[in-house]
Amino acid sequence: MLWSRLFIPTLRETPAEAEVVSHQLLLRAGYIRQLSAGIYNYLYLAQRSLLKITGIIRQEMDAIGAQELLLPALNPAEVWQESGRWDVMGDNMFRLKDRFGRDLCLGMTHEEIMTALARGEVRSYKQLPQIWYQIQTKFRDEPRPKSGLLRVRQFIMKDSYSFDLAPAGLDDSYEKHRVAYCRIFDRCGLEYVTVDAHSGAMGGSQSQEFMVATEAGEDYTVICRPTGYAANLEKAVSRPVPPTVPDPDGALAPEKVHTPGAKTIEQVAEFLKLPQTSLMKTLVLMADEKPVIAVLRGDHQLSETKFQTAAGCTEFRPAHPEEMRQILGADAGSLGPVGVKNVRILTDIALQDRKNMVCGANLDDYHLLNVTPGEDFAPEFHDLRQVAPGDTELESGLPLEILKTVEIGHIFKLGYKYSHSMGLNVLNHEGVETPVIMGSYGIGVERILCAAVELFADQNGITLPAAIAPFEVVITPVKSSDESLQTAARALYDELKALGVDVLLDDRDLSPGVKFKDADLIGIPFRVNVGKKLVDGKVEVVNRRTRESADVAVTEAARLLAAQIAAAKQ
RNA sequence: CGGGGCGUAGCGCAGUCUGGUAGCGCACCUGCCUUGGGCGCAGGGGGUCGCAGGUUCAAAUCCUGCCGCCCCGACCA
């Protein structure tokens, strides 16, 4: 392609509304333009890159025997009502009515449509397993679109669905996807980790997320580099920092102490001259509108996900002040588990084997000393604590890191949720109707692009991996007015094209600085400068990311570049 | 939906407090010039100042309402 003929609207300055790096650079480099909050135009460069990404996805999906379909984005309400998700999805779903007043929605995922399709057609176990996938636009009415292409209302997703007769088959389909996803993200040149994830509202058993570490991410991932442990913060487990001071010895009885004005853990610790690790914090939560108490070490945070799992509730909220008073007889700041009857006391396992600690007395401005879980109250021990900085890995005791990450893929064993609610059954070997077991597997296509931009951006702009860059090579004739440079550049361009290289020729009549800056900004992995060394038959090949440059014979340049690109793509 | 910020030319901004002919830089167009890192000179085009109402002789500026965008929180298969 000739740059002079392309629409690549680069910007010298960063638009004010862009906060995260990938958003700023994709705007500046002329990849995208915003139409509305969370809705973007993908311009030529973005589209080329996205096509390369989806090309890789297609190859790897096809390689595991998956079949590509394309399903409607416009869905009738009935299908979603059958699964129950018409209501569950709430305001996150774009809804509309047709001219006759019938309810429709824009698909935010396609479990229902896939299940409905399979239900109508798949009758026998002999037709299983099946893996169907599609690459298409999904719609979600996000409460707050943000971070450029990372959280949007309309985006491209590769989603696939597996249908198996039995759990062993699902395990197999799941594993195929896991391997395919690793290949896809490897080929896209990303650095990522795979983490165990919380199954969330989807219902189902096993679930893993593919995460890329970036400051722009919204999820937190806990990793231990030496051991390879990685988990979503919602699910991560760890060894907490040990208590600062040992617990007092002896079988001591609880002792009431006046703590005027000391409400927060910090204030109580200060008042009693004890470290926060010697205190217990007591939280009152309403789990499905029934009170439940959570007790943790003073310096620990409750994990909402773990609490929900332990409490076995579908939703929960902090109790209101008047509810706390009614349940425990005191205000937040003086609450404790001692003497509590008929309320579950979920207690974090970090308090197992602890004794003679401090907690609220359920009397305003009083605390209790010498409280021992298991003696002074009846704990129900669970892992409730959110992993915190400084924690170490559970098994090895090696240091953990907590990283901000963005989710680029998610694989999920759905189980029978949709086959049950929507009646997807086949006849098994014995001729008995059996529900089909399903899996669902998603990849955020734009997020791959964003993640690559975030991972590899430098001061000069984007530096994309060769496999997903819109072009592989840009040729820059340094002096626009020099005919011999133009001719040589053009010849090299034709040669590269003949070798199947995606090459861009910067034939614009601009000063060299402008062309260099633009080429750097848009992130093409290789640049060929055709300049003054041409008189010696040489051109300069520059690696965008490493800045390494080499003078090569113009006659060899095309062949060398083709080889380097092939190597860069693995 | 709660809290905060911002809407003035394609982009970045000043002007708003204290009402009086709408500005600057970049980008864009024309010509000359220049050509190894956003080059120089000269000339030029482009804005219902987010929208609507109000106050005033006069509103980008003051008042009221609305809309949009961004950030924090809530939310997030």
Side-chain angles (χ1 to χ4, degrees):
Chain A
M1 291 290 163
L2 304 181
W3 197 322
S4 65
R5 303 308 313 149
L6 299 179
F7 180 55
I8 304 175
T10 57
L11 301 172
R12 189 184 296 222
E13 287 171 293
T14 303
E17 73 266 15
E19 186 92 353
V20 304
V21 171
S22 59
H23 190 198
Q24 293 178 343
L25 288 177
L26 289 170
L27 283 170
R28 278 193 58 209
Y31 278 61
I32 62 171
R33 285 294 183 265
Q34 182 168 347
L35 178 62
S36 180
I39 305 177
Y40 287 84
N41 296 303
Y42 302 156
L43 310 188
Y44 184 61
L45 292 183
Q47 173 66 355
R48 281 188 73 100
S49 179
L50 293 172
L51 284 171
K52 296 216 171 167
I53 293 167
T54 52
I56 291 169
I57 293 173
R58 278 198 179 88
Q59 284 182 2
E60 296 301 335
M61 292 307 296
D62 291 351
I64 61 168
Q67 305 154 70
E68 182 171 6
L69 321 180
L70 184 61
L71 306 182
L74 192 58
N75 299 174
E78 287 75 13
V79 190
W80 288 82
Q81 284 160 349
E82 268 192 75
S83 71
R85 291 208 295 180
W86 180 259
D87 295 320
V88 172
M89 290 306 188
D91 290 337
N92 278 340
M93 181 181 261
F94 277 108
R95 297 159 201 266
L96 64 158
K97 286 183 189 295
D98 70 12
R99 60 170 67 198
F100 302 109
R102 290 184 289 235
D103 287 314
L104 300 162
C105 67
L106 298 178
M108 42 200 303
T109 172
H110 278 74
E111 281 83 2
E112 280 81 358
I113 309 300
M114 284 281 184
T115 308
L117 177 64
R119 159 180 77 179
E121 310 292 336
V122 181
R123 305 260 178 242
S124 160
Y125 75 94
K126 293 178 189 167
Q127 292 168 287
L128 298 181
Q130 291 285 330
I131 298 174
W132 298 345
Y133 77 98
Q134 62 164 358
I135 297 171
Q136 80 138 46
T137 303
K138 310 278 177 177
F139 301 86
R140 291 184 193 177
D141 196 355
E142 287 289 339
R144 185 149 91 83
K146 59 173 178 177
S147 307
L149 254 40
L150 284 174
R151 181 160 294 279
V152 288
R153 296 196 288 174
Q154 168 175 348
F155 58 96
I156 302 166
M157 178 185 272
K158 189 291 301 186
D159 53 332
S160 50
Y161 303 87
S162 64
F163 304 91
D164 283 279
L165 182 65
L170 173 59
D171 291 346
D172 188 44
S173 297
Y174 183 90
E175 178 61 14
K176 278 182 178 163
H177 275 90
R178 195 188 62 73
V179 172
Y181 276 33
C182 288
R183 283 194 54 80
I184 289 166
F185 300 133
D186 285 339
R187 285 183 61 188
C188 287
L190 297 181
E191 295 160 6
Y192 61 95
V193 291
T194 313
V195 306
D196 286 340
H198 176 65
S199 302
M202 291 289 291
S205 48
Q206 198 178 0
S207 162
Q208 282 169 293
E209 290 168 331
F210 295 79
M211 306 296 241
V212 174
T214 157
E215 267 308 297
E218 305 184 273
D219 293 319
Y220 288 89
T221 299
V222 178
I223 67 162
C224 178
R225 291 185 198 268
T227 65
Y229 174 79
N232 192 305
L233 180 62
E234 292 179 343
K235 236 192 150 171
V237 293
S238 67
R239 230 186 257 188
V241 178
T244 314
V245 300
D247 294 330
D249 264 330
L252 306 173
E255 181 187 329
K256 205 184 290 177
V257 57
H258 190 44
T259 51
K263 298 231 172 276
T264 64
I265 290 290
E266 215 170 76
Q267 291 163 349
V268 175
E270 173 67 18
F271 186 90
L272 295 174
K273 301 291 180 235
L274 284 170
Q276 295 188 18
T277 56
S278 296
L279 273 51
M280 291 186 282
K281 71 165 69 161
T282 304
L283 307 170
V284 184
L285 299 131
M286 301 300 285
D288 295 335
E289 293 305 307
K290 289 213 294 279
V292 175
I293 289 171
V295 183
L296 292 114
R297 201 171 85 183
D299 59 320
H300 287 163
Q301 289 291 317
L302 179 71
S303 159
E304 298 189 0
T305 317
K306 291 178 182 176
F307 173 81
Q308 188 162 2
T309 307
C313 61
T314 54
E315 58 181 9
F316 72 95
R317 59 171 174 83
H320 301 139
E322 55 276 19
E323 288 170 332
M324 291 183 199
R325 178 155 285 282
Q326 194 195 334
I327 296 158
L328 292 182
D331 289 336
S334 300
L335 302 178
V338 178
V340 175
K341 297 263 172 357
N342 303 323
V343 180
R344 289 176 72 188
I345 304 172
L346 303 185
T347 306
D348 184 60
I349 48 179
L351 298 177
Q352 247 166 340
D353 305 323
R354 295 291 304 274
K355 62 187 183 206
N356 300 324
M357 298 180 72
V358 175
C359 67
N362 291 332
L363 179 62
D364 286 347
D365 288 332
Y366 283 90
H367 281 76
L368 292 177
L369 307 178
N370 304 327
V371 173
T372 301
E375 287 182 17
D376 301 311
F377 66 96
E380 195 184 312
F381 284 112
H382 292 275
D383 178 19
L384 297 175
R385 181 182 59 91
Q386 181 166 297
V387 172
D391 287 2
T392 51
E393 211 233 344
L394 200 55
E395 300 296 320
S396 65
L398 293 166
L400 291 173
E401 287 175 71
I402 304 178
L403 303 173
K404 268 178 127 174
T405 50
V406 62
E407 177 187 348
I408 52 172
H410 195 166
I411 57 177
F412 208 97
K413 290 185 182 173
L414 281 176
Y416 297 103
K417 179 176 158 80
Y418 295 92
S419 21
H420 278 149
S421 60
M422 300 183 64
L424 170 57
N425 301 307
V426 295
L427 295 183
N428 67 11
H429 309 68
E430 283 98 40
V432 179
E433 285 237 320
T434 314
V436 171
I437 190 163
M438 293 174 58
S440 116
Y441 318 87
I443 291 178
V445 176
E446 293 94 330
R447 281 186 174 183
I448 293 180
L449 175 59
C450 286
V453 174
E454 292 279 344
L455 278 173
F456 306 119
D458 64 19
Q459 279 199 317
N460 298 302
I462 294 171
T463 82
L464 286 179
I468 66 170
F471 291 96
E472 293 158 338
V473 177
V474 54
I475 301 173
T476 308
V478 174
K479 196 168 169 178
S480 308
S481 55
D482 187 328
E483 275 304 319
S484 64
L485 298 187
Q486 295 296 334
T487 309
R490 184 63 193 231
L492 180 58
Y493 170 75
D494 289 335
E495 218 180 323
L496 282 164
K497 273 211 309 191
L499 289 172
V501 173
D502 273 327
V503 56
L504 178 62
L505 175 60
D506 194 350
D507 60 336
R508 297 174 300 170
D509 182 16
L510 291 170
S511 72
V514 176
K515 289 188 279 195
F516 292 151
K517 289 284 186 193
D518 268 350
D520 285 352
L521 179 60
I522 69 173
I524 310 303
F526 296 99
R527 183 175 79 219
V528 183
N529 293 334
V530 182
K532 52 194 172 204
K533 293 166 193 151
L534 185 67
V535 292
D536 304 323
K538 304 258 182 169
V539 293
E540 188 179 16
V541 174
V542 184
N543 182 307
R544 168 66 183 88
R545 191 173 298 170
T546 64
R547 300 259 125 192
E548 289 164 346
S549 72
D551 293 336
V552 306
V554 65
T555 49
E556 293 294 306
R559 196 181 51 75
L560 282 169
L561 274 163
Q564 280 192 45
I565 290 159
K569 291 202 279 191
Q570 287 153 22

